């Protein structure tokens, strides 16, 4: 049994598990397709129950799950490595740089965590069809998990998505609808699709369990650091759901009495797609018209989880930083050549942000870079800066 209620992130109304599915019915009256979501739900556990049951000797993290284990797909999501980098520690002048490499998930990105839990929920409610809009990674994650769970995935992606992500989606056997438009257009279309034709919608933040799935990365970090947490976690941000999930994981640990202080969260966005960071800095929201960055996974005009992401940064006294495509590509090269970690451009933004904030970060001991996706997802982006060598004659040596 899972002991929780859904709680609206805006009005704080509470709902029983099967009473609601997506947004808060009251706050979402104000929501119209084409703006950041209103009334995103969070999962509020019975933290006293967790306190009574959780033991460090034999830690059972399923106490923090909003879907029972028996519904979990048979797909090896999570348990990604936590790696120390002495080179990057020195580069930043910090004692300890830790890298959580989530590009090693089965479909190559952190999105597997969200898709995994939503498919578990689909198992529970006996829904066979799952619909999603994505810049590419959420879609390939959903397609992969659905393949393993024998469910039908219907996916809306912009036609500009990197080829590797499209190939994944197709090989996993999903139905793909390539949208002649942006990610934001795909998001709107997928909502209309489920309204008219049914199926479970896995859109990021729209389904509250996407946040719960993504939070497992924080629970793992806590476990891998011997029941402690870093001082700072640096997160690449597009729709603002990963950073909200990271926040939620630490929030749960704090509410369960397992940590005293939450890590400071740093939101890294591409300069040319920074609606959330501008919202945090100025307190007024506006879309980023025509985002254009090589970091496709964080290229968003209307970030669906803008309100919650802002709260995650503010509640941890966090920071924002915007990085250019050049800074991202430089960071990608540094990561690859000094740690062996090949991160996709959006994921490399974590390091780009850390380099930019070097002075502010000096005072912290343990800084974690969240590497959200695998470099093999998009080789065209770095190829722009790489000269492949010319072949040599076979008598060269
Ligand atoms: C989705 C994604 C992000 C950003 O996550 P949001 O929830 O959209 O903020 C960052 N990096 C990668 C690799 C992603 O796939
Ligand atoms: Zn509400």
């Amino acid at each position: 049994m899972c002991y929780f209620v859904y709680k609206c992130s805006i009005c704080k109304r509470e709902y029983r598990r099967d009473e609601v599915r997506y947004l808060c019915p009251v706050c979402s009256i104000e929501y119209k397709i084409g703006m950041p979501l209103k009334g995103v739900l969070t999962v509020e556990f019975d933290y006293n129950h967790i306190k009574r049951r959780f033991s460090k000797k034999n830690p059972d993290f399923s106490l923090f799950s909003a879907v029972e284990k028996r519904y979990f797909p048979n797909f090896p999501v999570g348990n990604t490595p936590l790696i120390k980098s002495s080179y990057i520690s020195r580069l930043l002048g910090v004692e300890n740089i830790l890298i959580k490499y989530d590009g090693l998930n089965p479909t190559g990105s952190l999105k597997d965590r969200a898709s995994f839990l939503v498919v578990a929920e689909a198992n529970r409610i006996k829904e066979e069809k799952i619909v999603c809009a994505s810049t590419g990674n959420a879609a390939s994650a959903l397609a992969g998990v659905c393949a393993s769970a024998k469910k039908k995935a219907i996916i809306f992606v912009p036609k500009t998505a990197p080829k590797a992500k499209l190939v994944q989606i197709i090989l996993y056997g999903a139905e793909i609808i390539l949208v002649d438009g942006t990610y934001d257009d795909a998001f709107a279309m997928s909502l209309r699709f489920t309204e008219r034709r049914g199926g479970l919608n896995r859109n990021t933040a729209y389904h509250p369990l996407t946040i719960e799935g993504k939070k497992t990365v924080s629970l793992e970090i806590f476990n891998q650091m011997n029941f402690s947490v870093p001082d700072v976690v640096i997160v690449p941000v597009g729709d603002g759901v990963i950073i909200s999930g990271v926040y939620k994981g630490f929030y749960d640990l704090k509410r369960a009495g397992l940590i005293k202080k939450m890590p400071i969260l740093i939101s890294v966005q591409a300069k040319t797609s920074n609606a959330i960071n501008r919202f945090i800095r100025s307190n007024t929201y506006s879309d980023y018209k025509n985002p254009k960055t090589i970091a496709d996974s964080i290229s968003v005009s209307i970030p669906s989880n803008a309100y919650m992401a802002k709260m995650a940064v503010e509640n941890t006294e966090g920071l924002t930083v915007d990085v250019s495509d050049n800074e991202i590509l430089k960071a990608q090269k540094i990561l690859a050549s000094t740690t062996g970690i090949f991160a996709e451009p959006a994921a490399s933004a974590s390091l780009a942000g850390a380099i930019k904030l070097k002075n502010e970060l000096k005072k912290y001991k343990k800084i974690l870079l969240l590497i959200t996706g695998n470099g093999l997802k998009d080789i065209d982006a770095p190829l722009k800066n790489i000269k492949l060598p010319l072949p040599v004659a076979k008598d060269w040596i």
Side-chain angles (χ1 to χ4, degrees):
M1 264 300 279
C2 297
Y3 297 90
F4 71 91
V5 291
Y6 284 115
K7 187 170 176 180
C8 173
S9 56
I10 306 272
C11 73
K12 312 295 175 197
R13 279 185 183 82
E14 294 186 354
Y15 303 93
R16 276 173 289 108
R17 186 182 202 176
D18 287 305
E19 194 180 351
V20 283
R21 180 168 284 184
Y22 302 119
L23 303 174
C24 165
V26 178
C27 296
S28 62
I29 293 172
E30 285 173 44
Y31 171 66
K32 283 193 190 64
I33 289 179
M35 57 196 248
L37 298 172
K38 290 259 171 78
V40 174
L41 296 173
T42 59
V43 168
E44 187 82 358
F45 288 93
D46 175 351
Y47 292 100
N48 284 325
H49 171 81
I50 298 177
K51 274 184 189 170
R52 283 195 301 274
R53 295 281 188 90
F54 191 88
S55 97
K56 287 185 180 171
K57 267 212 189 91
N58 191 8
D60 176 9
F61 286 96
S62 74
L63 289 166
F64 292 93
S65 176
V67 183
E68 292 80 357
K69 253 194 200 156
R70 65 177 180 280
Y71 298 114
F72 284 3
N74 181 18
F75 201 58
V77 170
N79 294 313
T80 56
L82 188 68
I83 301 158
K84 273 189 191 156
S85 169
S86 51
Y87 180 88
I88 294 177
S89 303
R90 253 179 288 128
L91 175 73
L92 295 173
V94 170
E95 225 167 273
N96 255 312
I97 290 286
L98 300 162
I99 299 173
K100 178 72 170 164
Y101 186 21
D102 245 43
L104 291 186
N105 273 301
T107 84
S109 84
L110 189 146
K111 298 292 196 294
D112 282 1
R113 297 178 184 274
S115 293
F116 181 87
L117 199 66
V118 174
V119 173
E121 174 74 349
N123 282 335
R124 185 183 75 84
I125 61 175
K126 301 191 174 63
E127 177 66 66
E128 293 309 314
K129 193 166 82 182
I130 310 177
V131 181
C132 158
S134 161
T135 57
N137 280 342
S140 44
L142 181 65
V145 183
C146 280
S148 84
K150 300 184 177 56
K151 299 225 179 271
K152 186 172 174 55
I154 300 170
I155 275 153
F156 292 80
V157 271
K159 65 175 186 203
T160 50
K163 289 231 163 45
K165 300 182 185 183
L166 298 177
V167 171
Q168 281 185 295
I169 296 165
I170 292 165
L171 284 191
Y172 288 138
E175 186 179 329
I176 185 168
I177 295 133
L178 207 57
V179 177
D180 185 9
T182 62
Y183 163 60
D184 303 272
D185 298 324
F187 196 95
M189 280 174 79
S190 77
L191 289 183
R192 289 198 295 272
F193 183 93
T194 39
E195 269 170 24
R196 289 175 197 170
R197 305 212 191 150
L200 184 65
N201 194 302
R202 176 240 179 263
N203 278 10
T204 195
Y206 184 66
H207 198 298
L209 296 189
T210 51
I211 302 166
E212 286 298 306
K214 287 174 173 183
K215 91 174 177 193
T216 58
V217 74
S218 299
L219 303 178
E220 270 174 32
I221 291 166
F222 169 72
N223 197 25
Q224 286 169 314
M225 291 181 67
N226 288 317
F227 308 112
S228 70
V229 292
D231 300 312
V232 179
V233 178
I234 306 185
V235 187
V237 171
D239 270 313
V241 182
I242 292 182
I243 198 165
S244 303
V246 167
Y247 176 87
K248 178 57 164 46
F250 294 130
Y251 169 88
D252 281 355
L253 290 169
K254 186 150 184 279
R255 290 290 307 276
L258 292 165
I259 58 172
K260 290 213 176 66
K261 192 175 176 296
M262 312 244 318
I264 289 164
L265 299 185
I266 296 183
S267 162
V268 187
Q269 290 208 285
K271 249 185 198 146
T272 46
S273 173
N274 67 350
I276 287 182
N277 280 357
R278 277 188 300 119
F279 185 27
I280 294 171
R281 292 193 289 259
S282 71
N283 239 346
T284 36
Y285 173 81
S286 62
D287 301 344
Y288 192 97
K289 300 270 177 318
N290 304 318
K292 209 172 177 352
T293 163
I294 43 152
D296 67 292
S297 302
I298 52 173
S299 179
V300 184
S301 171
I302 310 156
S304 62
N305 215 24
Y307 300 104
M308 205 185 277
K310 181 170 187 276
M311 185 216 59
V313 172
E314 289 173 350
N315 286 2
T316 61
E317 286 163 28
L319 299 167
T320 62
V321 58
D322 300 350
V323 293
S324 69
D325 280 4
N326 251 335
E327 289 165 327
I328 288 174
L329 287 173
K330 261 195 204 146
Q332 184 181 44
K333 178 92 196 294
I334 295 173
L335 253 183
S337 60
T338 69
T339 68
I341 293 170
F342 181 24
E344 68 166 274
S348 307
S350 295
L351 177 60
I355 292 172
K356 213 154 184 185
L357 287 180
K358 190 174 168 188
N359 283 331
E360 284 88 338
L361 293 179
K362 281 216 170 85
K363 58 177 183 252
Y364 302 107
K365 285 213 169 88
K366 288 182 184 166
I367 297 175
L368 186 140
L369 304 178
L370 189 58
I371 301 298
T372 44
N374 196 302
L376 293 172
K377 289 265 196 180
D378 178 12
I379 58 162
D380 287 332
L383 259 179
K384 285 179 195 129
N385 269 1
I386 292 174
K387 248 207 186 128
L388 294 176
L390 293 170
V392 296
K394 47 187 190 226
D395 60 358
W396 181 73
I397 192 160

